[in-house]
Amino acid sequence: MAEKPSNETILEQLKNGVAKFELVSVTARSISTHDYQTFQPSFSGTSHRFFARISPPIGNGGSPAMKKVERYSVLRVTGDGRCLFRALAKGMAMNKGIPLSPRDEREDADDLRMAVKEVICNNGKERHQYEEALVAITVDESLKRYCQRIGRPDFWGGESELLVLSKLIRQPITVYLPEHEHTRGGRGTGFIPIAEYGAEFSKGSVTRKPKKVVRLLYTGRNHYDLLI
């Protein structure tokens, strides 16, 4: 069993925005519900790690999880293992007013996955620009193993891929939890922001237009949907 980190180490991780948390569900065998296709993750265990970005905070200070509840509609995304990439592709297309057919959505999702593979696995020089993602990846597995898995269409994306894609495609992304999951048994119907990526790209600059945020909903079923 791994040694428990000291309080000093935990505080340093919080300060640097690399603290590691776990969202534990009753079962981790599938991210499916009765509405989704069955998906068997390629790794074992009773929980999946989600690396929460604590710093910098969303808004004017304080942890993102402490911000007030926000209200959106949920746009369901197919749970075939591509859900993170599908939700991101769908959100970016909607922000541009571009409709996606089911085929386009699947192909765009695979393009995003393979873009991550290209910079992390096939480009040693460019890889070092994504140190945070590399740290998140190698916590649980070797880079070699990761690169073998990400080539498969049912690869389950998460924190590492969001760290890469937000920077690679200059896309601001905010991840939310359902209010009732955050409050542990509560009945709220809103959503709480817990992680933010690529916030600098929502501001724009002299040479770059600001981009609309894509809002992703992460649930205890290890699934991503889109918030609109």
Side-chain angles (χ1 to χ4, degrees):
M1 181 179 294
E3 183 179 352
K4 182 178 180 180
S6 67
N7 289 338
E8 290 77 14
T9 299
I10 294 173
L11 289 174
E12 187 64 20
Q13 290 175 340
L14 288 170
K15 178 180 178 182
N16 294 328
V18 295
K20 182 177 67 178
F21 298 87
E22 291 187 355
L23 296 178
V24 182
S25 57
V26 175
T27 177
R29 293 183 177 180
S30 175
I31 61 170
S32 65
T33 66
H34 63 281
D35 295 323
Y36 301 137
Q37 300 175 24
T38 300
F39 168 59
Q40 187 74 24
S42 59
F43 41 85
S44 61
T46 56
S47 68
H48 295 301
R49 287 186 175 88
F50 184 87
F51 295 80
R53 296 274 291 169
I54 301 300
S55 176
I58 296 176
N60 297 320
S63 168
M66 298 303 293
K67 301 301 289 184
K68 67 180 182 180
V69 174
E70 299 179 22
R71 305 289 177 182
Y72 299 101
S73 297
V74 179
L75 187 59
R76 300 297 179 186
V77 173
T78 302
D80 62 354
R82 298 179 176 89
C83 60
L84 168 66
F85 306 109
R86 281 181 178 272
L88 183 54
K90 188 187 293 284
M92 290 191 298
M94 291 187 67
N95 283 349
K96 296 177 181 178
I98 301 174
L100 288 183
S101 68
R103 179 177 178 178
D104 290 337
E105 180 186 310
R106 184 180 67 252
E107 290 179 351
D108 285 359
D110 285 341
D111 285 345
L112 290 173
R113 174 176 53 82
M114 294 307 292
V116 177
K117 183 177 186 293
E118 177 64 27
V119 298
I120 295 297
C121 302
N122 302 338
N123 193 325
K125 183 178 180 180
E126 194 168 353
R127 176 189 307 152
H128 296 293
Q129 299 178 33
Y130 303 92
E131 289 295 336
E132 287 182 282
L134 288 172
V135 170
I137 288 168
T138 54
V139 164
D140 285 327
E141 62 183 330
S142 68
L143 184 60
K144 179 179 179 180
R145 173 59 179 160
Y146 173 85
C147 291
Q148 291 172 341
R149 291 198 305 108
I150 196 173
R152 300 202 299 261
D154 62 351
F155 173 84
W156 191 87
E159 166 82 352
S160 305
E161 294 68 42
L162 289 173
L163 285 167
V164 172
L165 289 170
S166 60
K167 184 176 181 180
L168 181 64
I169 59 178
R170 298 176 178 271
Q171 176 61 56
I173 303 167
T174 302
V175 178
Y176 293 76
L177 274 183
E179 181 185 2
H180 66 86
E181 288 189 16
H182 183 268
T183 54
R184 298 183 180 182
R187 298 183 178 181
T189 59
F191 307 97
I192 307 250
I194 61 168
E196 186 179 54
Y197 310 87
E200 63 272 24
F201 304 119
S202 65
K203 301 174 183 177
S205 66
V206 176
T207 58
R208 183 182 66 242
K209 292 182 179 180
K211 284 191 174 181
K212 295 181 180 179
V213 176
V214 172
R215 295 178 173 85
L216 305 180
L217 176 63
Y218 180 81
T219 73
R221 296 184 300 273
N222 305 302
H223 179 77
Y224 286 92
D225 285 313
L226 180 65
L227 294 179
I228 56 175

